[in-house]
Amino acid sequence: MESRILPDPSAVKEELIKKYPPKVAKKRGKAIVVNDPAEIPQVQANIRTIPGIITQRGCSYAGCKGVVLGPTRDIVNLVHGPIGCSFYAWLTRRNQTRPDGPEGENYMTYCFSTDMQEEHVVFGGEKKLKKAIQEAYDLFHPKAIGIFSTCPVGLIGDDIHAVAKEMREKLGDCNIFGFSCEGYKGVSQSAGHHIANNQVFKHVVGLDDTDKGGSFKINMLGEYNIGGDAFEIERLLDKCGITLVASFSGNSTIGQFENSHTADLNVIMCHRSINYMAEMMETKYGIPWMKVNFIGAEATAKSLRRIARYFEDDALMARVEEVIAEEMPAVSSVIEEIHPKTKGKLAMLFVGGSRAHHYQELFMELGMETLSAGYEFGHRDDYEGRRVIPNIKVDADSKNIEELKISADPEKYKPRKTEEELEKLKEAGLDIRDYDGMMPDMKKGSLVIDDISHYETEKLIELYKPDIFCAGIKEKYVVQKMGVPLKQLHSYDYGGPYAGFTGAINFYRDIDRMVNSRVWKLIQAPWEETSIELEADYVTQ
Ligand code: CFM
């Protein structure tokens, strides 16, 4: 692989913001930083996108209904709003589920909406909402119904929480709860995550105290089973003898959430979307949390080992080593085959609030370098690590979202480990309750860009000419028309799973096919390749 001379990152930064008016350039400049893992510069994040800039962000409703609650199969997710909000959120994320048999409840394939019309916006939509809840109940008799507010609901003031309460009491055997996750509630989908965490914690977690047995009981937080990732992680946990009590929320049921406080450890995959739940569960029930990452074969092995070390059980540690030893040879042989073809290639990742970090692991295993990466809606802690949390300025947009006041449950609080035990584990290198963020893992001189705009994306590609760009459907075809393959790291295009050991192999093969295909050189039309242009004038009389 020939080594390329790459442009100076500070010059690239200047080039990216040069076209903006001075005020905008100043603001965007704070969101674009040249990384130094030894210093970790401050990055501007989780602030409102400047109007006029084409962002890739979604809305609060997307984060709440689509991301956190969407993957749970037996809650009827009823969208209170115009039909479009529901239709465009309908199964596009490729989150999979596995119902218990052909008759098992699964409402994920349905699209439930109150189908709000102009008359409801003018005269109120509560009656229509009650009717829709009744209809869903009569048809399906679900265990639970979640109501999701879209923008007009907040604007006209329909009280979905009062309706939820009234209908819950009326129906008696169906848990009904609302989410005030109107699209405008925050600066991105991140606000919706927080709202979802709050309401699930308030209305569901802790309702079922049954000890379902099993040893080494964990919850997996922030894993949404895109392309079957959770299936692969479940397979590994099972093989190791680790009991998964609940998953939030890939391949999950409401019953799992109700019972999740019986677990002894919360492991977090996506810190951004679910750290609130982990903290609330620790405060109320005494369950510690730990960040893991099952993206990347090495990262998977490390995560399994860390779970075993938390439980301080020799048999479990030995079993985990056996599983790793069984799984790794297949991974290594594919790496051996592909590494020479991918070594030295350059990647860029601009995704959501966690994958832009996690997937750098997989590229590293292929010998590829991540030149530039960023989140759409991560917060400073997702970049710089949780140590910056006390210094994060709370602005009006963040104040919009309720912070629940949680205290220890008088009966159910049971610290799984004493503070001394946790301290000892920390000293032994097990980082409990911590996340270092993306930047310490990125090279010096790499560009970290928050909420990258469409214009900046195109400029970045022009200047660096990466071998692969990872983002989503909004960017995909624009980038590919520039002759650079784009891997969707939201939906995985048509691929996956990419988690765990089997997932890593799938990813290596998919990336090899993409970066080594010759088709990208043929994207330009023949007449774009030469400077010859035909010119003509209109005939004038
Ligand atoms: Fe977490 Fe996600 Fe992500 Fe996310 Fe998302 Fe997603 Fe994502 Mo798309 S919860 S932050 S809001 S890992 S839908 S499964 S891929 S942007 S990086």
Side-chain angles (χ1 to χ4, degrees):
M1 173 80 215
E2 83 285 7
S3 69
R4 273 179 240 173
I5 309 227
L6 296 169
D8 169 53
S10 307
V12 172
K13 174 180 171 171
E14 288 316 310
E15 191 62 31
L16 293 185
I17 56 177
K18 202 171 76 187
K19 267 262 170 75
Y20 292 134
K23 251 179 142 175
V24 175
K26 195 169 160 219
K27 208 164 174 197
R28 280 305 299 152
K30 292 183 191 156
I32 306 174
V33 302
V34 180
N35 190 40
D36 180 354
E39 304 262 316
I40 312 281
Q42 181 175 329
V43 58
Q44 169 188 280
N46 192 35
I47 65 143
R48 216 177 268 207
T49 304
I50 301 160
I53 279 186
I54 304 179
T55 171
Q56 311 296 348
R57 282 174 166 175
C59 65
S60 167
Y61 156 79
C64 182
K65 188 263 180 189
V67 172
V68 179
L69 270 300
T72 309
R73 62 177 168 267
D74 57 357
I75 301 176
V76 164
N77 284 346
L78 176 59
V79 176
H80 188 28
I83 191 65
C85 298
S86 205
F87 183 80
Y88 289 107
W90 189 19
L91 280 187
T92 50
R93 186 158 167 254
R94 296 188 76 240
N95 45 287
Q96 302 180 2
T97 200
R98 200 173 269 155
D100 319 316
E103 298 303 318
E105 280 170 281
N106 180 13
Y107 306 120
M108 271 164 50
T109 50
Y110 291 90
C111 179
F112 297 102
S113 168
T114 53
D115 187 21
M116 221 176 203
Q117 305 289 322
E118 197 176 334
E119 78 179 269
H120 308 112
V121 174
V122 176
F123 299 109
E126 290 181 8
K127 260 199 228 143
K128 178 121 174 143
L129 176 60
K130 282 182 211 169
K131 249 177 90 187
I133 293 171
Q134 186 69 51
E135 193 183 338
Y137 180 80
D138 293 341
L139 280 171
F140 299 103
H141 290 280
K143 295 185 189 86
I145 299 176
I147 307 160
F148 299 86
S149 289
T150 57
C151 296
V153 173
L155 297 175
I156 66 174
D158 274 2
D159 188 345
I160 60 158
H161 304 287
V163 171
K165 186 162 176 269
E166 185 190 324
M167 292 305 285
R168 187 166 63 227
E169 281 159 11
K170 181 181 170 198
L171 300 174
D173 62 351
C174 181
N175 191 357
I176 305 175
F177 37 87
F179 298 85
S180 289
C181 56
E182 291 86 351
Y184 58 78
K185 266 289 162 69
V187 302
S188 70
Q189 49 270 63
S190 168
H193 300 149
H194 197 162
I195 294 163
N197 279 234
N198 285 351
Q199 295 302 85
V200 171
F201 188 77
K202 244 202 285 191
H203 293 282
V204 186
V205 171
L207 291 181
D208 174 12
D209 294 329
T210 325
D211 181 354
K212 305 230 166 121
S215 32
F216 315 119
K217 295 197 278 188
I218 67 166
N219 295 319
M220 186 155 53
L221 307 189
E223 164 47 59
Y224 300 97
N225 205 16
I226 312 300
D229 276 353
F231 296 150
E232 167 65 5
I233 301 169
E234 284 172 18
R235 180 184 76 80
L236 291 171
L237 294 176
D238 214 41
K239 218 172 152 184
C240 294
I242 297 164
T243 307
L244 184 63
V245 179
S247 155
F248 288 75
S249 59
N251 193 31
S252 68
T253 61
I254 188 162
Q256 290 182 10
F257 298 166
E258 290 170 346
N259 191 239
S260 57
H261 63 299
T262 64
D264 294 317
L265 171 69
N266 279 326
V267 300
I268 298 192
M269 269 291 280
C270 168
H271 173 264
R272 181 62 273 128
S273 62
I274 207 126
N275 70 86
Y276 322 94
M277 178 65 77
E279 288 193 37
M280 291 190 289
M281 279 175 90
E282 175 150 31
T283 311
K284 190 166 178 184
Y285 302 108
I287 310 170
W289 67 268
M290 193 164 81
K291 175 77 179 68
V292 293
N293 177 21
F294 288 106
I295 301 296
E298 282 300 332
T300 299
K302 193 169 148 201
S303 296
L304 290 173
R305 286 187 177 118
R306 290 175 63 228
I307 295 172
R309 278 176 59 207
Y310 167 85
F311 285 106
E312 298 175 276
D313 183 279
D314 292 340
L316 177 63
M317 289 194 237
R319 181 63 194 140
V320 161
E321 289 308 324
E322 269 170 38
V323 171
I324 295 169
E326 269 172 46
E327 301 274 336
M328 267 303 193
V331 174
S332 310
S333 81
V334 180
I335 290 187
E336 226 167 273
E337 172 200 330
I338 290 176
H339 193 274
K341 296 188 276 174
T342 47
K343 196 176 127 226
K345 295 212 183 273
L346 308 173
M348 289 183 178
L349 299 88
F350 290 92
V351 210
S354 87
R355 295 183 172 196
H357 179 198
H358 289 163
Y359 277 77
Q360 293 187 30
E361 289 276 343
L362 280 168
F363 285 115
M364 222 156 52
E365 289 173 353
L366 290 173
M368 293 174 64
E369 188 187 333
T370 301
L371 283 179
S372 183
Y375 302 123
E376 289 165 43
F377 51 78
H379 297 199
R380 277 185 60 202
D381 36 318
D382 303 300
Y383 288 104
E384 302 167 56
R386 285 182 66 91
R387 60 188 174 79
V388 301
I389 291 179
N391 311 323
I392 295 178
K393 221 173 60 214
V394 182
D395 62 10
D397 288 311
S398 324
K399 273 196 201 130
N400 247 338
I401 305 152
E402 190 188 8
E403 280 288 346
L404 297 185
K405 299 272 168 289
I406 307 293
S407 52
D409 188 289
E411 276 130 49
K412 299 182 191 176
Y413 180 77
K414 183 170 71 80
R416 302 325 200 247
K417 301 241 180 211
T418 62
E419 276 307 314
E420 295 77 60
E421 286 170 325
L422 289 173
E423 219 25 68
K424 252 175 84 188
L425 285 174
K426 269 200 218 168
E427 277 164 27
L430 205 66
D431 42 348
I432 311 270
R433 303 180 189 131
D434 206 7
Y435 174 45
D436 283 341
M438 172 205 274
M439 288 159 89
D441 286 340
M442 288 185 72
K443 276 203 172 162
K444 191 174 161 105
S446 53
L447 267 184
V448 173
I449 307 178
D450 184 63
D451 186 20
I452 193 170
S453 74
H454 216 109
Y455 169 77
E456 289 156 12
T457 301
E458 289 185 28
K459 268 275 161 224
L460 206 59
I461 291 173
E462 262 171 50
L463 296 167
Y464 278 118
K465 304 196 176 45
D467 297 290
I468 192 158
F469 197 91
C470 299
I473 192 65
K474 295 179 216 128
E475 301 92 327
K476 186 169 176 92
Y477 297 101
V478 178
V479 171
Q480 293 197 158
K481 281 176 187 173
M482 296 174 82
V484 174
L486 187 141
K487 179 67 197 165
Q488 289 194 67
L489 283 191
H490 301 261
S491 69
Y492 298 165
D493 295 300
Y494 319 100
Y498 293 142
F501 301 108
T502 314
I505 294 173
N506 291 338
F507 194 77
Y508 304 150
R509 293 217 178 279
D510 285 351
I511 295 305
D512 174 31
R513 272 193 285 266
M514 292 182 86
V515 298
N516 288 310
S517 166
R518 283 182 305 172
V519 75
W520 309 109
K521 296 204 173 68
L522 307 172
I523 294 283
Q524 273 195 327
W527 59 88
E528 288 173 325
E529 283 173 6
T530 60
S531 52
I532 302 167
E533 272 178 41
L534 279 182
E535 272 185 55
D537 291 323
Y538 286 109
V539 178
T540 46
Q541 301 292 330

